[in-house]
Every structure is written in structure tokens, then in C-alpha cells.
Amino acid sequence: MTDLSVRPRCLFVIFGATGDLTKRKLLPAIYQLKLQGQLPDQFAVIATARKEYTDESYREIAKEAVTQYSGSTLKEEIWESLCKQLFYHQLQFDEDDGYAGLKVMLEGLDDQLQTNGNHIFYLAVAPEYFGEISDRIEKFQLINQDRGWYRLMIEKPFGNNLESARELNSDLTRVFREENLYRIDHYLVKEMVRNLMVIRASNQIFEPLWNGDYIDHIEIISMESEGIGLRGRYYDKSGALRDMVQNHLLQMLALTAMEMPDSLSTTKVRTEKVKMLRALIPIDEDQISNQVVLGQYEGYLDEERVKADSPTETFAALKVCLDHPRWRDVPFYLKTGKAVVSKMTQINIQFKRPLGTSYLGDVLQSADPNRLIIKIQPDEGFEVVFNTKKPGTLDSIMPVSMDFCQSCLVEQNTPEAYEKLILDCINGDASSFTHWDELEATWTWIDKITDWAYRNPQEVRTYPKGSEGPEAAEELLKRSKDRDKK
Amino acid sequence: MTDLSVRPRCLFVIFGATGDLTKRKLLPAIYQLKLQGQLPDQFAVIATARKEYTDESYREIAKEAVTQYSGSTLKEEIWESLCKQLFYHQLQFDEDDGYAGLKVMLEGLDDQLQTNGNHIFYLAVAPEYFGEISDRIEKFQLINQDRGWYRLMIEKPFGNNLESARELNSDLTRVFREENLYRIDHYLVKEMVRNLMVIRASNQIFEPLWNGDYIDHIEIISMESEGIGLRGRYYDKSGALRDMVQNHLLQMLALTAMEMPDSLSTTKVRTEKVKMLRALIPIDEDQISNQVVLGQYEGYLDEERVKADSPTETFAALKVCLDHPRWRDVPFYLKTGKAVVSKMTQINIQFKRPLGTSYLGDVLQSADPNRLIIKIQPDEGFEVVFNTKKPGTLDSIMPVSMDFCQSCLVEQNTPEAYEKLILDCINGDASSFTHWDELEATWTWIDKITDWAYRNPQEVRTYPKGSEGPEAAEELLKRSKDRDKK
């Protein structure tokens, strides 16, 4: 538990303070944290962008944004109090001009708030500016290696392949040490993703069974009913493998598969995740079409800013194996798609059929295996599928499902992702952010697949909007289900 | 699954056909089986008792009984059809006179229905008549060892201690072979008691954990809110240990603790149960007051047909251990009582706290252990208590309970106990009846405790009606809970 009384004093500097992300997510999150009393008392937000605002005029547009996006009625006294901690500084990211003035502003606030020089920089800008900004952060000494701490928060995408990720990383690590880089993966702060470790560790009836002796296979699924909307410019260069699999799905895989860390510390959790991501067995070129199914929804080519003959995949299903004794012969099925029938993210852990007894004979063979389903969104909770005797029969079995719906607990207020991200960064807890070692392992693994996809555009199958995706994806899993029946 | 087409033809002979048991239970059960098409076509019921009835006049009182007790509106056409299979024969159990006539009647029906001499005898009479009747069944050749089969169904109590049980058994086995004795234990046909084996065998997430490595302790509880009512004559000589523990509670213990049998066959299930009942560790005289708590509800002495200074226990709580590698150091807590706060029978399986990880540290220590609760009556179903992360916190744990309420499934019609008992007997499935070896093991074990109780009437503590029973019973279990906290 975090001790609120020792929450570190710091300045929170936003680059891109007039953009959508800041208005929709960052400012409302900061307001909510203020409302909940979660912010340090000695704290200020410095918003920077190209446009000309005074503190007062920026506070006006900030208030509008918070009112519109915070999801609750603005409490005036809280807002008034937050306003006094909110400042604006005009700045062209890729020009030196404004940085010296920013330095003066930060130094003034540091003195006033006795922050000891603790600074968080949030880059709410396109990745191509990351290097420009971090270079100038150093050049204009917005950080001081001898005082306090400094942290950089950035959004995905972190590169487009291993090479570009390395370049970007090298740009950033010229200025920031790895432990000060807070690379956001929104999935890692989702309630039920964070809950994964707790469910494993705190339930004696799961923990001993969490391996290939008892688990048959695991599905990690993240589906969206919407298409790409207006994100064509970004998405068409990315595709499902880079946009979803390399980061969110493989992160969920790592959290599901990893050995239980000794503690919740950032280093221990990351170490265990990296071990599993490095254990990803590369998919051989000659097996790839048996293990990977790509799709593109009908109508994708008509979306705005998408190339007319784009082979970009909007759907990916993969059979993944790990070179690790815990998971020998346990396939992980990853599946993600846009414009499919329903919006749903979940992890399905399917146990093996009961072994070691011939009791109930043929009846048992036909029973469903036990399943643990971790529901991540839109519902949050978990479900366990058991078998029980069909009432009134001697030995017929029927499955029953038991459900814990966390999001149904109305009294529980699940914090928004950005509240958790900002708070974690203030507290120096990077366990829900991505380490470079994880990026390196996942890009290395995914590059083989994206390279193959680039050379084989014919492998991308079209599927109707609102469907389950390409039929071939169902086949991937079905082959495993057939295996069950053996 | 039983193949209905081969359900054996037979005659069903009731001794005590005008008594309460026949009217309230047997006739309604036979009617229900008829209604469901579960009876063999070639089947007849021969009701015998002291009173003078014709077939017609008996059918009249039988119809009244079924109408009153069957719980559903009588279907005339079903009843008419059953009537043709229902006959009355006047008989004084302990006099020879009527038996020759009964033989003639059975032979006539055997011929007519081509039953091959298959006979079931149901002794709905006090146990003191069991020997009288079985002797005459033999003497008047109501059974024919060379043709078909014959089975005897009897109710509890089967003796009052090992010695009297042996005598009774010896009376019966002069005539009936062990495999033809169907000793009823009503708890064994309760839906969720039968479900115990299925839940264990068909759930991979329970079966590997079903031992002392993962289970901390097990509670087997059967409580009744009613007092003894008008059963004083029987109950005052019996008490909770003989009336409930020796049979129902130890049977549930055996089913919970036993190794998984190779199959559902009578012999295999009984063999496994007997192994566990023989593994009951006798409670040493010098430890008995630490392991056994007896009680008597206030007002018991005022009940009808109870001795004024009766020391009979209406409540018993016991800590029981098994000399078996699967259950080393796993206490079983048995608890039963009358006139307590609620009516409830259930088996609570409490798992150990998660081991092998220091993850979450102190928080984990304070988490509740996982529990599997098998609810037997009045609710039927099972419940699993898990731990999950408290939403919005990083590492706080909260227990959540998931419930499968079988009795809530309105479309599921749980058959009445007597329907199952009669059907099992017709089908020759004795797996839910008690074998002599089980009786011998349980009486041997319980006699030590009843002997001690007899010599130490001061050990029976009074408790208020509607309470949880004597406080000392709570202490028994609390000592184990303290052990958890270590």
C-alpha cells in the first residue's frame, strides 16, 4: 500500500497540452486525482504547446475539457484549487526558443514547491518528436542529474519494428536512464490485468495448477466491434500485429505465463515477464501459415487515409508456444480484430480433462473441461466453469458457470487508466510500464511475422464486418479442441 | 446410464403397508416412478399389514395417501394403471398364519408377470420385527435361491451399538446374503451427496488438490432447527451420536475422503468408503474431551417420552482424523444438533493458504483461504470462495463467493429420496446403501465415544434452543482456525 503522506513532490510537464490526449485523458485524470486527494500537496502541472495562451486562458480551456470529459460534475472548489497548480508555457517542440523560458518556469516552481527538482515529462505528441524533445530537455537542463528524479512518460507506438524501436530507444536513453522511462501500455493498468497476479497468488486452488500439467491451452483475445475510424494514417502503417499483438497481447501473455515474482517490485515483475517474452518460440517460416491467420475486414480499403491496395491486417490470430518447462506443449492462442462481432477482451485458461481415474468412463470424456475466464473489458471480472452432476441422474454431467462480475459492483469505482498511470509514475512504480527488454523481445519475435506478412500479402484474408473474423482463425483453435477429444 | 428397456421385472412386497412410512413416502414414490415411466412394465406392489383390507379398500386408502403426500395433482389414468398393479394381503408379521397365503399370492403374480421370482421386500416396520419377518420369508419360501433374485430394503437404525448391530445382521444374513441387503441411508441419495464424487472426478481444478497437501480441514455439518418432536421414545435411547454421526455424518466423511473409485460400481465405491471408515483414528479416552463436545438443548427433558434425568445428547461436535496418507494432519470436524439456529447440511472444504510465494507478503497472510462448500439441504448446490484484487487498489485482497444453486434451477426436478432408493434397488445398484463392513467400522469407532458419554453424563452441556449449540463446539474449530493464522 502506498503511504499517501510520503507521496513525492514534483512538477508534471505536459508536451502537447492542447491536443486531444491532454484534453480527453490527462487533464480529467489529474482533476480526479486531485478530487480523491491522491496528488502530492506540493505539485504543479506545466502545460506546453505551440499555441499562445496565458495561464488564465489555458485554465479556461482546461476547465472546459475537464467538464466535458471527466464524467462527473465539476466541483468548483476542487477546480479552483487545481487551477492554482496549473500553468501554461508556449513552446515549439522542435525549436530551441521556448525551452530556456520553460527552464526558468520549472526552476521557479521547484523553489516555490520545494520539489527537489523532481520532474515528470509527459510527451503527449507524435513519436517523431520524442527525440527532438528529449534532446532539448537535456540541452536546456530541464533535468538535473544531481538533484531529485526525472521521469519520461510516453505513449505507444514505440517503434514500428525492432530497428526503429532501437533507434527511438537510443534517442531517449541518451538523456533518460531506462529506469526513468515510463512506456505506457494501457492494458497493463486495466483492473483485471493487474488482478491476474493477485488471482494466481491468492488462490490456493489455482496456484498449484498453473502449469502445463493441468492447463491444456490459454486464449488471449482482444476484439473490437469498431473499425479503424479516422486512424487510417497511423493504422495503415501498423496493422493488428504491431498495434495489438506486439504490445497488449504479448504483455497479457507474459503476465499470465510468468513465474510468480517474489514481490510486486517493478524489477521483480519485469524480470519474470522478460523471461517469458524471451521464451517465445520463433515461428518457423515453413510453419507460419499453420500458426498465423491474418485478416482484413471488407470495406477497410475505403477507410480514410488507407492505401487503395493496402495489405494491412486488421485481424490476427496466432498459435504461440513458449520454451519453458512450465508451459511445455501448452499452446497460447492470441486473437485480435477490428470490426468483428463484439467488443471483448479476455483471457481464457482451459484446464485439461481430469486424469488419473476412469471413474464415470465415457460420460467424463464428453464433459467440458474446467475453464477460468478473466474478463478484462467491457465486463470486468472472472468466471469459472465447473462440472456438476445433472440433477436426478446418476452420472450425467453438466457444466455450470460461476461468475464474479467486478464491474457490476456499483459501489466499486474502478479508476480510469490515466489516473493509475500518472499516480504510478509519481510514486515511481514502473511495474505496469514496459521495459526495453520486453520491447526488444517482442519486436524480435513479431518482426519475423510482419516480414512474412509483407512478403505474402495474399495471406491476408478478407472477412465481413461484424463477423468472427476469417474462418481459418477458428480452425487454429479447433485443431486444439480436437486434440482435447483424443 | 440405466437402460430402461432392460429394467428388471419384479414384485415389490411392503411389510407395514398401513404405516406412516408407506403412506407418506413409499406409495407416493411408487406413484411418481410410475408417472415418470421409470417402473418395469411387469411389476406389482404387494402391501401387507395386520389390518383387514381388500385390494379395493386398500387401493382407496392408498389413493388418499398418494393424493395427500405426492406433492402434485393425481393423474387419474396413471393411478388407474398403478391400481391394477397394487394388491393387499393381510398378515401379522410375527405369526406364521398369513405367510403361506402370501406365498401363494406371490407365486401367482410371478407366473402372471413372468418375474422369474424377483422379489424386493421392504420392511417398513420397527427393527425388532426384522428378524421375525426374515425368518418367515425363508420358512415360507417367499424367496427361491434357484430362481431370479431377492432383495431386502430396511430403514435405520441398524442396531444401537456394535453388538446389537451384529445380532441384527446375523438375523438377516441367516436368510439374505450381504449383497442383497439394501440398508437405507437417506443422506446417500441426496442430490449433492451423490454429486460429491462427480464434482471431484469431473473437475480438474479440484481433483489434484483433494488431499492434505492442499486442504487444511473439512467440516461436515448437519443441523436442524426443530427439536425431537414426538420421537422421544426412539431418540432418547439413541442420541445425536447414534442417530446422526454413526451413519449420515460418517457416510459423508467417507464419500468426501475416499480415494476415487475406478468406477461407479457398488463394490468399488463401497470398498473405497470402507477403507476410509476403517482408517478412522480411535479417539483416546484421555483426549476425548478435547475432541468431542456433546450438548442437550434446554427443554429436552420436557419432551414427550424422554426420561426426566436423561443425559442423551442432542448435539455432537467431533474432531476426527484419518490414518491415511492422503489426509495426514487434516482434521475433519463433524457437527450435528437439534433445536439449533438453522436447518442446514453442508460440507465445507477449506484449502490451505497459498504457499510457495512471498508475493503480496503480509496482505496475503490476512486473506481468507479458498473454500469449497457443498450444500446438501435445504439449499442444494455448491459455492466456491476465491480471492480477488480489491478494485482500485494495487494489492488489497477481498474474498468473493461464487455460487451454483442447483435447487434454484426450477426446471430441474430433483427426485425424492424414496424414488431413488426404490429405483436403485430394482436396478440392483447398492452403491448408495450401507454395507455391513461400513456399519462394523463406524459402530466400532462410535462405541468408544458413546461408552465414554454414558460414563460421563456431566460432559453433556445444555445449550439454548435456537443457539449455535454449546460454545465449546465453536472452540473445537477455532483451535484449527488459529492454526491457520500461524
Side-chain angles (χ1 to χ4, degrees):
Chain A
M1 301 291 286
T2 308
D3 183 350
L4 287 177
S5 60
V6 296
R7 189 151 287 162
R9 310 164 167 206
C10 61
L11 303 183
F12 191 85
V13 186
I14 302 173
F15 289 85
T18 55
D20 250 18
L21 178 66
T22 302
K23 288 183 184 170
R24 285 170 186 265
K25 298 292 183 184
L26 301 186
L27 291 172
I30 290 166
Y31 167 76
Q32 284 295 334
L33 291 172
K34 180 79 182 174
L35 181 64
Q36 295 155 23
Q38 302 250 42
L39 290 180
D41 290 332
Q42 309 291 76
F43 176 81
V45 177
I46 299 89
T48 79
R50 287 191 186 90
K51 292 187 189 150
E52 192 176 338
Y53 284 107
T54 60
D55 289 344
E56 280 65 36
S57 61
Y58 184 76
R59 287 168 185 164
E60 281 304 308
I61 66 154
K63 186 176 182 181
E64 273 172 43
V66 172
T67 303
Q68 186 171 357
Y69 297 114
S70 80
S72 62
T73 312
L74 201 70
K75 291 202 173 164
E76 282 295 339
E77 71 278 20
I78 301 293
W79 177 254
E80 285 307 316
S81 170
L82 183 59
C83 261
K84 294 180 189 137
Q85 299 176 284
L86 177 59
F87 306 92
Y88 185 79
H89 181 76
Q90 191 179 5
L91 185 84
Q92 184 84 4
F93 308 137
D94 48 357
E95 292 175 11
D96 287 359
D97 294 359
Y99 282 88
L102 181 57
K103 178 183 163 66
V104 172
M105 190 172 191
L106 298 187
E107 282 183 344
L109 287 165
D110 280 335
D111 285 349
Q112 188 184 327
L113 300 171
Q114 298 188 293
T115 63
N116 195 31
N118 296 341
H119 295 169
I120 294 171
F121 301 96
Y122 198 115
L123 305 194
V125 301
E128 49 262 43
Y129 295 112
F130 287 0
E132 301 270 7
I133 296 173
S134 69
D135 280 351
R136 289 181 176 82
I137 286 175
E138 188 191 31
K139 181 174 173 188
F140 290 92
Q141 295 177 301
L142 303 187
I143 57 181
N144 182 337
Q145 309 278 3
D146 302 327
R147 284 180 73 194
W149 48 253
Y150 51 96
R151 293 169 189 152
L152 187 75
M153 294 181 79
I154 50 176
E155 299 273 329
K156 78 167 184 181
F158 199 93
N160 198 42
N161 54 25
L162 181 60
E163 194 190 340
S164 59
R166 271 193 178 133
E167 282 169 20
L168 177 55
N169 202 50
S170 141
D171 284 350
L172 296 178
T173 51
R174 274 200 306 274
V175 181
F176 290 87
R177 284 205 300 271
E178 171 62 33
E179 69 262 31
N180 294 324
L181 286 174
Y182 284 68
R183 301 180 193 85
I184 292 172
D185 187 314
H186 299 97
Y187 276 59
L188 293 181
V189 289
K190 289 188 188 292
E191 272 300 309
M192 292 306 297
V193 175
R194 284 198 174 187
N195 205 337
L196 250 176
M197 275 194 288
V198 177
I199 288 174
R200 284 177 59 183
S202 67
N203 290 294
Q204 170 73 349
I205 71 172
F206 292 137
E207 210 276 325
L209 305 178
W210 212 265
N211 58 65
D213 290 343
Y214 301 105
I215 291 176
D216 185 80
H217 67 265
I218 293 177
E219 295 167 52
I220 297 173
I221 302 170
S222 185
M223 305 299 262
E224 283 179 58
S225 50
E226 300 288 310
I228 60 157
L230 300 173
R231 295 173 64 224
R233 195 169 78 107
Y234 156 72
Y235 196 90
D236 201 40
K237 286 186 205 146
S238 168
L241 288 166
R242 293 180 177 95
D243 184 52
M244 290 296 294
V245 179
Q246 177 268 329
N247 38 50
H248 308 316
L249 267 61
L250 288 178
Q251 284 290 332
M252 287 194 281
L253 179 146
L255 280 171
T256 308
M258 72 180 182
E259 302 288 306
M260 200 46 69
D262 291 345
S263 81
L264 268 178
S265 79
T266 301
T267 313
K268 301 247 174 159
V269 174
R270 282 175 165 181
T271 301
E272 295 304 337
K273 277 164 61 189
V274 168
K275 270 160 63 179
M276 283 301 165
L277 293 171
R278 288 182 176 153
L280 286 166
I281 298 176
I283 300 184
D284 281 346
E285 184 93 359
D286 61 342
Q287 280 302 309
I288 207 160
S289 58
N290 289 328
Q291 289 190 239
V292 177
V293 173
L294 303 178
Q296 184 186 81
Y297 62 82
E298 287 170 0
Y300 174 75
L301 299 178
D302 303 327
E303 302 280 14
E304 279 185 46
R305 302 196 183 187
V306 162
K307 275 193 300 178
D309 59 347
S310 172
T312 298
E313 79 286 354
T314 60
F315 180 99
L318 303 93
K319 178 180 170 180
V320 182
C321 294
L322 294 171
D323 181 16
H324 190 280
R326 185 183 275 257
W327 300 112
R328 193 150 288 157
D329 296 326
V330 180
F332 288 71
Y333 294 94
L334 310 186
K335 194 163 77 169
T336 183
K338 292 201 180 289
V340 291
V341 64
S342 57
K343 177 180 169 67
M344 174 267 285
T345 300
Q346 65 184 33
I347 300 172
N348 299 338
I349 291 142
Q350 177 148 335
F351 293 89
K352 291 187 175 169
R353 299 186 179 285
L355 300 170
T357 174
S358 61
Y359 173 72
L360 296 182
D362 292 346
V363 181
L364 207 54
Q365 292 300 311
S366 68
D368 290 347
N370 292 135
R371 269 178 298 149
L372 167 64
I373 302 165
I374 314 268
K375 298 177 180 179
I376 294 163
Q377 63 184 24
D379 298 333
E380 293 176 354
F382 65 109
E383 185 181 336
V384 188
V385 181
F386 297 98
N387 290 305
T388 184
K389 189 172 75 66
K390 202 167 166 189
T393 69
L394 255 182
D395 53 8
S396 290
I397 290 174
M398 64 178 203
V400 294
S401 168
M402 294 190 187
D403 205 357
F404 166 63
C405 175
Q406 177 161 300
S407 46
C408 303
L409 297 177
V410 284
E411 75 274 24
Q412 304 287 358
N413 176 26
T414 299
E416 289 295 319
Y418 280 89
E419 296 168 33
K420 288 187 274 194
L421 291 166
I422 292 170
L423 207 54
D424 278 1
C425 186
I426 290 174
N427 290 321
D429 177 358
S431 57
S432 295
F433 295 81
T434 313
H435 190 275
W436 168 249
D437 291 347
E438 299 171 63
L439 287 164
E440 188 174 49
T442 52
W443 277 124
T444 302
W445 188 83
I446 211 89
D447 274 2
K448 286 193 77 154
I449 305 168
T450 51
D451 287 353
W452 166 82
Y454 181 77
R455 285 179 280 109
N456 297 277
Q458 78 286 356
E459 291 280 348
V460 178
R461 304 144 201 251
T462 55
Y463 60 93
K465 274 188 186 175
S467 71
E468 301 273 359
E471 276 175 30
E474 295 302 305
E475 293 297 316
L476 256 192
L477 182 58
K478 195 171 160 294
R479 286 202 288 276
S480 159
K481 284 186 177 152
D482 289 344
R483 194 182 67 159
D484 287 346
K485 291 195 180 117
K486 268 184 234 159
Chain B
M1 302 290 286
T2 307
D3 183 352
L4 287 177
S5 61
V6 297
R7 191 151 285 163
R9 313 164 163 203
C10 60
L11 304 182
F12 191 86
V13 186
I14 302 173
F15 289 86
T18 55
D20 250 20
L21 178 64
T22 302
K23 289 183 183 170
R24 286 171 185 263
K25 299 293 182 184
L26 300 185
L27 292 171
I30 290 166
Y31 167 76
Q32 285 295 335
L33 290 172
K34 180 79 182 172
L35 180 65
Q36 296 155 22
Q38 302 249 44
L39 290 179
D41 290 333
Q42 309 291 78
F43 176 83
V45 177
I46 298 90
T48 80
R50 286 191 187 91
K51 292 187 189 150
E52 192 175 339
Y53 284 108
T54 60
D55 289 344
E56 280 66 36
S57 61
Y58 184 76
R59 287 168 184 163
E60 281 305 306
I61 65 154
K63 186 177 182 180
E64 273 173 42
V66 173
T67 304
Q68 184 171 1
Y69 297 115
S70 80
S72 61
T73 312
L74 200 69
K75 290 201 174 167
E76 282 294 337
E77 72 278 18
I78 301 293
W79 177 254
E80 285 307 315
S81 170
L82 184 59
C83 261
K84 293 178 191 138
Q85 300 175 286
L86 176 60
F87 305 92
Y88 185 79
H89 181 75
Q90 191 180 7
L91 184 86
Q92 181 85 5
F93 309 137
D94 50 355
E95 293 175 11
D96 287 359
D97 296 358
Y99 283 87
L102 180 58
K103 178 183 165 65
V104 172
M105 189 171 190
L106 297 186
E107 282 182 345
L109 286 164
D110 280 336
D111 286 349
Q112 189 186 328
L113 299 171
Q114 298 187 291
T115 62
N116 194 32
N118 296 340
H119 295 168
I120 294 171
F121 302 97
Y122 198 114
L123 306 194
V125 300
E128 48 262 43
Y129 295 112
F130 288 0
E132 300 270 6
I133 296 173
S134 68
D135 282 350
R136 288 181 175 81
I137 285 175
E138 189 192 32
K139 180 174 174 188
F140 290 92
Q141 295 177 299
L142 303 186
I143 57 180
N144 181 337
Q145 309 277 2
D146 302 327
R147 288 180 71 195
W149 48 253
Y150 50 94
R151 292 168 190 153
L152 187 74
M153 295 181 77
I154 50 176
E155 300 271 330
K156 79 168 184 182
F158 199 94
N160 197 44
N161 54 26
L162 180 60
E163 194 188 341
S164 58
R166 273 196 176 132
E167 281 168 21
L168 176 55
N169 202 50
S170 142
D171 283 349
L172 296 177
T173 51
R174 274 199 306 274
V175 180
F176 291 87
R177 286 205 299 270
E178 172 63 33
E179 67 263 33
N180 295 322
L181 287 173
Y182 284 68
R183 301 179 193 86
I184 293 171
D185 188 315
H186 298 98
Y187 277 59
L188 293 181
V189 290
K190 288 185 189 296
E191 273 298 312
M192 291 306 297
V193 174
R194 285 198 173 187
N195 205 339
L196 250 177
M197 275 194 289
V198 177
I199 288 175
R200 284 177 59 183
S202 67
N203 291 294
Q204 170 72 351
I205 69 172
F206 292 137
E207 211 276 327
L209 305 178
W210 211 265
N211 57 64
D213 290 343
Y214 301 105
I215 291 177
D216 185 80
H217 68 266
I218 293 178
E219 295 168 52
I220 299 173
I221 303 170
S222 186
M223 305 299 261
E224 284 178 56
S225 49
E226 299 288 309
I228 60 157
L230 301 173
R231 296 172 65 224
R233 196 171 76 109
Y234 157 72
Y235 196 91
D236 201 41
K237 285 186 206 146
S238 169
L241 288 165
R242 294 181 176 95
D243 183 53
M244 290 295 296
V245 179
Q246 177 269 329
N247 38 50
H248 309 315
L249 268 60
L250 288 178
Q251 284 291 332
M252 290 193 281
L253 179 148
L255 280 170
T256 308
M258 72 180 182
E259 303 289 305
M260 200 45 71
D262 291 345
S263 81
L264 267 178
S265 78
T266 301
T267 313
K268 301 248 177 159
V269 173
R270 281 175 165 181
T271 301
E272 296 304 338
K273 278 164 60 190
V274 168
K275 271 158 64 180
M276 282 303 165
L277 293 171
R278 286 182 178 152
L280 286 165
I281 299 177
I283 301 185
D284 282 345
E285 183 92 358
D286 61 342
Q287 280 301 311
I288 208 160
S289 57
N290 290 327
Q291 289 190 238
V292 177
V293 173
L294 303 178
Q296 184 186 79
Y297 63 81
E298 285 169 3
Y300 173 76
L301 298 177
D302 303 326
E303 301 281 14
E304 280 184 46
R305 300 197 186 189
V306 162
K307 274 193 298 180
D309 59 346
S310 171
T312 298
E313 78 286 355
T314 61
F315 179 101
L318 304 92
K319 177 180 172 182
V320 182
C321 294
L322 294 170
D323 181 15
H324 191 281
R326 183 183 276 259
W327 301 112
R328 194 150 288 157
D329 296 327
V330 180
F332 288 71
Y333 295 93
L334 311 185
K335 193 163 77 169
T336 184
K338 292 200 179 291
V340 292
V341 64
S342 57
K343 177 179 169 69
M344 172 268 283
T345 300
Q346 66 184 32
I347 300 173
N348 299 337
I349 291 142
Q350 177 149 336
F351 293 90
K352 291 186 174 170
R353 299 186 179 284
L355 301 168
T357 174
S358 61
Y359 173 73
L360 296 182
D362 291 345
V363 181
L364 207 54
Q365 290 302 311
S366 67
D368 289 347
N370 291 136
R371 269 177 299 148
L372 166 63
I373 302 165
I374 314 268
K375 298 177 180 178
I376 294 162
Q377 63 183 25
D379 298 335
E380 292 177 353
F382 64 108
E383 184 181 337
V384 189
V385 181
F386 297 99
N387 290 305
T388 185
K389 188 172 78 65
K390 201 168 167 185
T393 69
L394 256 183
D395 55 7
S396 289
I397 289 174
M398 65 176 198
V400 293
S401 168
M402 293 190 186
D403 205 356
F404 166 63
C405 175
Q406 176 162 302
S407 46
C408 303
L409 298 176
V410 284
E411 76 272 26
Q412 304 287 0
N413 177 26
T414 299
E416 289 295 318
Y418 280 88
E419 297 169 32
K420 289 186 273 193
L421 291 166
I422 292 169
L423 207 56
D424 279 1
C425 187
I426 290 174
N427 291 321
D429 178 358
S431 57
S432 295
F433 296 81
T434 313
H435 190 277
W436 167 250
D437 291 347
E438 299 171 62
L439 287 164
E440 188 175 46
T442 50
W443 277 125
T444 302
W445 188 82
I446 211 89
D447 274 2
K448 286 193 78 154
I449 304 167
T450 50
D451 286 353
W452 166 80
Y454 180 79
R455 283 179 280 109
N456 296 277
Q458 78 285 358
E459 291 280 345
V460 178
R461 302 144 203 252
T462 55
Y463 59 93
K465 274 188 188 178
S467 71
E468 302 272 1
E471 276 174 29
E474 296 302 305
E475 293 297 316
L476 257 191
L477 182 58
K478 194 170 162 292
R479 285 201 290 274
S480 160
K481 285 186 176 150
D482 289 343
R483 195 182 65 161
D484 288 345
K485 292 194 182 115
K486 268 186 232 155

